[in-house]
Amino acid sequence: MDDADAVLDDTALDDAALDGNAIAGLLASVFGADMTMAVGTCGSCGAVSVVAELAVYLTELGAVVRCRSCESVLMVFVSVREVVCVDLMGLASLS
Amino acid sequence: MAGTAVRGRLSWQTATVAAVTRETASTVTLSLSVPDWPGHRAGQHVDIRLTAEDGYQAERAYSIASAPGEPLAITVERLDDGEVSPYLTEEARTGDQLEVRGPVGGYFVWQAESGGPLLLAAGGSGVVPLRAILRYRSRVGSSEPVRLLYSSRSWEDVIYSSELDFPADGVEVIYTLTRSQPRAWQGYARRVDAQMLTEVAWPAAEGPLAYVCGPTSFVESVATGLVGLGYPAGRVKTERFGATGQ
């Protein structure tokens, strides 16, 4: 879990940050539809953003998605073979 | 919102390498034959998955380089510490098989009805999806005016240079070469900055639509600059591929 912990502990968005486009395939496989145009609301600061614009960090285990405004963790995806575990606890809404 | 576990729905398919074209010292275009490819839109990408003999798998997203209606092609830049790109750029041969998933992504997409004028800004291999947009624009006979601002380390690193040397009517290509320039180079020779955007970008009053793709620092800088020029944030589409390249 070292990789994931390091990403979760790192509070500064930096040049390693990708965006939601990078996990379009992962999201489509989980949700069954393109989610890059979906709108997420941060549960911490209330910032509203299309998923494509959210900050994304990829690790060997999956992906961590952060708010660009307050850097809170919004979504975590952990892939184990063909099964993806999804944590959307940081989002107030996703639609 | 509660956590859950879901089985995958978008499935992986087997693709066969149909052609390998070296673009620059570090980039290669792979044409891929995928049975039942559903077609794609300009600006979308595919996920590529490689499986090692020991079962270890690595996957990466790559922008589609070909226009809708053309066979699927990706252009890949070699990253020395990459898990996937060294194979794709150095080892892949015609007839090799790999797994693809896609097309994916609906955000960084341009369709003829999306309008313009278009400002395309590329940092390094960020030019790949923008090339798909340019080819698509030609295929559908769009007359939407386009300016492509392409930032590259050197002339030798410019991808698709033979194609971009002869742009379609209504398309202007403006280069900036950030590290080294050919002798007698008269173009830009620095990173994209606010002054350059002022000179190159369509005025905001013309209602332009911008697509910015490249390393994260490039995208942040250009997108911030365009918003500073009055572009509404919603008219600046961005795609970031991290700290590497450019």
Side-chain angles (χ1 to χ4, degrees), chain B residues 195-242:
Chain B
Q195 179 60 35
M196 195 185 300
L197 289 174
T198 303
E199 293 166 7
V200 171
W202 305 102
E206 295 183 25
L209 183 56
Y211 290 77
V212 185
C213 185
T216 299
S217 57
F218 171 89
V219 171
E220 297 298 339
S221 160
V222 174
T224 303
L226 291 175
V227 170
L229 290 176
Y231 282 53
R235 299 282 287 176
V236 181
K237 306 252 183 186
T238 52
E239 183 161 290
R240 301 160 179 83
F241 54 65

Side-chain angles (χ1 to χ4, degrees), chain B residues 182-202:
Chain B
R183 288 155 62 105
W185 174 253
Q186 299 193 328
Y188 292 115
R190 62 182 197 269
R191 288 174 180 269
V192 175
D193 54 24
Q195 179 60 35
M196 195 185 300
L197 289 174
T198 303
E199 293 166 7
V200 171
W202 305 102

Side-chain angles (χ1 to χ4, degrees), chain B:
Chain B
M1 298 176 70
T4 183
V6 203
R7 285 192 65 80
R9 298 178 200 176
L10 182 67
S11 59
W12 292 94
Q13 302 180 72
T14 300
T16 305
V17 177
V20 180
T21 308
R22 182 151 291 278
E23 302 283 356
T24 68
S26 63
T27 57
V28 160
T29 294
L30 300 178
S31 297
L32 300 173
S33 171
V34 184
D36 305 323
W37 180 247
H40 58 272
R41 292 179 288 159
Q44 286 193 294
H45 51 264
V46 288
D47 294 337
I48 302 286
R49 183 165 75 179
L50 302 179
T51 304
E53 286 180 5
D54 64 1
Y56 177 77
Q57 293 186 319
E59 62 185 71
R60 292 292 182 275
Y62 291 100
S63 289
I64 297 172
S66 49
E70 296 177 330
L72 176 64
I74 58 173
T75 300
V76 180
E77 178 178 23
R78 180 191 167 96
L79 308 176
D80 289 336
D81 58 351
E83 290 187 317
V84 176
S85 67
Y87 167 77
L88 295 178
T89 55
E90 306 292 342
E91 309 289 331
R93 298 288 179 268
T94 301
D96 286 359
Q97 293 194 319
L98 40 82
E99 288 181 288
V100 304
R101 179 172 69 179
V104 293
Y107 173 74
F108 198 81
V109 164
W110 184 74
Q111 296 180 275
E113 56 269 29
S114 304
L118 277 179
L119 176 70
L120 310 179
S125 57
V127 74
V128 175
L130 307 182
R131 186 253 203 158
I133 290 173
L134 288 172
R135 290 178 76 104
Y136 165 68
R137 174 189 173 281
S138 292
R139 282 178 73 89
V140 297
S142 165
S143 57
E144 209 66 72
V146 183
R147 287 179 185 158
L148 167 63
L149 175 58
Y150 184 178
S151 174
S152 189
R153 283 175 296 227
S154 72
W155 189 251
E156 292 71 31
D157 288 307
V158 170
I159 309 169
Y160 314 131
S161 58
S162 59
E163 193 169 311
L164 297 176
D165 276 350
F166 301 97
D169 282 351
V171 177
E172 291 175 75
V173 181
I174 302 103
Y175 296 100
T176 183
L177 304 177
T178 56
R179 286 195 196 165
S180 67
Q181 302 81 30
R183 288 155 62 105
W185 174 253
Q186 299 193 328
Y188 292 115
R190 62 182 197 269
R191 288 174 180 269
V192 175
D193 54 24
Q195 179 60 35
M196 195 185 300
L197 289 174
T198 303
E199 293 166 7
V200 171
W202 305 102
E206 295 183 25
L209 183 56
Y211 290 77
V212 185
C213 185
T216 299
S217 57
F218 171 89
V219 171
E220 297 298 339
S221 160
V222 174
T224 303
L226 291 175
V227 170
L229 290 176
Y231 282 53
R235 299 282 287 176
V236 181
K237 306 252 183 186
T238 52
E239 183 161 290
R240 301 160 179 83
F241 54 65
T244 49
Q246 220 275 110

